[in-house]
Amino acid sequence: MRLDKFLKVSRLIKRRTLAKEVADQGRITVNGSKAKASSTIKENDELQIRFGQKVVTVRVDQLKENAKKDETANMYTILKEEKLDKVEPQFIDDEA
């Protein structure tokens, strides 16, 4: 499954276009390497997503083409959430 589609279906990021922008800015890594929106992800991959002053690390547990709101929590496991002290200007989220 494409990275941007997984982020939207799992509701980690609201819209697929926003997921694509975040990936294109280099704010997402898959298993330690920078990922593009079109990167293919599979179960047990580890994603690290940078949201402004926060870095969230999740493990992909399930891949689904469509998921209801109550099913999305089963799609990933949050492994780590860390807050950053300093934010680089290119990573400031204007939509937040």
Side-chain angles (χ1 to χ4, degrees), residues 3-4 13 15-16 21 27 30 39-41 46 59-60 63-64 68 70-72 75 88 90 93:
L3 174 62
D4 58 346
I13 296 180
R15 295 183 313 273
R16 191 167 174 178
E21 288 173 18
R27 293 166 49 184
V30 176
S39 298
T40 302
I41 60 165
E46 198 170 291
R59 182 184 61 235
V60 178
L63 296 176
K64 292 184 176 186
K68 293 181 179 161
D70 55 338
E71 297 172 343
T72 59
M75 294 181 70
E88 297 169 30
Q90 69 264 29
D93 234 349

Side-chain angles (χ1 to χ4, degrees), residues 1-35:
M1 175 182 276
R2 284 177 56 113
L3 174 62
D4 58 346
K5 182 163 184 176
F6 173 78
L7 292 171
K8 180 203 176 287
V9 172
S10 66
R11 292 187 167 99
L12 283 166
I13 296 180
K14 279 186 194 176
R15 295 183 313 273
R16 191 167 174 178
T17 53
L18 184 58
K20 181 183 180 332
E21 288 173 18
V22 170
D24 291 345
Q25 290 171 356
R27 293 166 49 184
I28 301 176
T29 61
V30 176
N31 298 326
S33 58
K34 285 192 179 185

Side-chain angles (χ1 to χ4, degrees), residues 11-86:
R11 292 187 167 99
L12 283 166
I13 296 180
K14 279 186 194 176
R15 295 183 313 273
R16 191 167 174 178
T17 53
L18 184 58
K20 181 183 180 332
E21 288 173 18
V22 170
D24 291 345
Q25 290 171 356
R27 293 166 49 184
I28 301 176
T29 61
V30 176
N31 298 326
S33 58
K34 285 192 179 185
K36 294 182 179 179
S38 61
S39 298
T40 302
I41 60 165
K42 45 195 182 315
E43 290 181 7
N44 295 318
D45 278 353
E46 198 170 291
L47 308 177
Q48 191 172 46
I49 309 164
R50 190 167 179 168
F51 297 105
Q53 287 187 300
K54 189 168 66 169
V55 177
V56 178
T57 306
V58 299
R59 182 184 61 235
V60 178
D61 293 332
Q62 289 181 347
L63 296 176
K64 292 184 176 186
E65 291 296 317
N66 299 311
K68 293 181 179 161
K69 193 173 188 176
D70 55 338
E71 297 172 343
T72 59
N74 300 329
M75 294 181 70
Y76 60 90
T77 303
I78 296 177
L79 302 175
K80 186 169 45 169
E81 244 182 278
E82 47 191 330
K83 199 166 183 125
L84 301 175
D85 296 334
K86 185 180 176 190

